[in-house]
Amino acid sequence: MRTISGIVAAHGPFDPLEGMRMLDRLAHRGPDGQGSHALDHAWLGHRRLAVVDPEGGAQPLCDPAGKYWLVGDGEIYNHERLRTELEDRGHVFRTRADQESALHLIEADGTAALSRLWGVFAFAGAELGGGFFAARDTMGLAPLYWVRHDDTVIFASELKAFDPNRRPDVEPFPPGHVWTPENGLTPFRVLADTTSSAVPGGSDDEPSEEVLATIRDTLIKAVERLLAADVPVGALLSGGLDSSLVTAIAARHAHRAGRRFPTFAVGSAGSGDLEAAREVAEALDTDHHERVYTDDELVDWVPEVIRVLESFDPSLVHSSVPNLLVSKLAARSVKVVLIGEGADELFAGYGYYSEIDSDTELHEELLSTIQGLHIGGLQRVDRVAGATGLEPRTPFLDLDVVELALSLPARWKLSGDRAEKWLLRKAFEGWLP
């Protein structure tokens, strides 16, 4: 869900030449420019893919006095409301960049205000007086890694950014946390457990129409919120339920504006996925693009996928090869793509969930899977998009959608003799062929 960019930051003694080498290794994440700023106690660097305020949003960002500095990867969806509030409090903005709202908010209210940011982000900020912080969004949608060595702490968007001698000690930065030299690592908003009966309405086995409408409206609002951009937006359409629902919502929105929504699909000749995507695209009247690949092509792309992913995990590599090909196809036409990631984890779409017959056990398994997405499926989403110059946006992982889905009784997600994700299917009856 966001503006793919690359950040590098350090607190403590640090060689700026090491920082520039690290930025060079992140060039694929930010083809539209780079910038850096050195302070006595910190160093900040940034590679940029311009999606919001392409002309004026270069980073590092700073306040008019040049006291507070920030680099970020991501997008703040409530930035306009925060900007209005901060301007009323006397803050002067220098750009239209969404992340400048984060800079001024933290300048005004400290890192405790991170919980007010709605969106996807990995930030590092510093001030002339010696302050420093680094933070990552609640879902871990924006990647961030760090390594602590003697008196220096170094942060970057990808493992490959770090100098080879440091890589064995690099760790993922935990989602929903902030680090400062004074307080160390502290949570500001983590994805916590919720009561699985928090949403009323419906019997033990069936949700009410009111609940179904809430599910539908929440996802629609998330998709429409993520369609906002100063560059072309499309969707990766696999032909499955998740990407098809996202596409259906986006296509309706585009048709109201008199446009056809771009969709992109890949597959082998005669594959069911390619045919399903074609059927959905035809029914929704999208501007559909597809690429047919051979088995030999898939094998040839594996080494590149492993390099991009920074992982040898077989399941990640297997799913990432076609994902890389469809992303390359989409990158010819758009700069932002909507994808269906997260629906399986929220609505029990994987086959092994059907073996669980306890609603408590299912709820705990879903929560655990969602909390681990940042080192699994989201790593694939981020790395592949970053390698192709795309920004991926994931409506199912919008916090409104996530918190609603986790609040639903898990017994409604038990499949039994019903189709997987039947709750989601029921909420959107009539939307798809």
Side-chain angles (χ1 to χ4, degrees), residues 1 4 28 32 72 116 174 180 212 239 295 333 345 380 385 425:
M1 355 148 128
I4 284 281
H28 56 282
D32 296 330
R116 296 190 58 200
T180 64
L212 295 174
D295 290 343
S333 306
E345 292 78 8
R380 170 181 53 79
R425 295 175 189 274

Side-chain angles (χ1 to χ4, degrees), residues 197-220:
S197 58
V199 175
S203 65
D204 284 349
D205 298 319
E206 296 286 341
S208 67
E209 287 301 321
E210 180 184 359
V211 170
L212 295 174
T214 300
I215 295 172
R216 186 167 54 250
D217 292 345
T218 303
L219 182 60
I220 289 172

Side-chain angles (χ1 to χ4, degrees), residues 293-306:
Y293 56 70
T294 66
D295 290 343
D296 287 343
E297 280 186 281
L298 293 185
V299 174
D300 291 342
W301 277 103
V302 167
E304 172 65 8
V305 165
I306 292 174

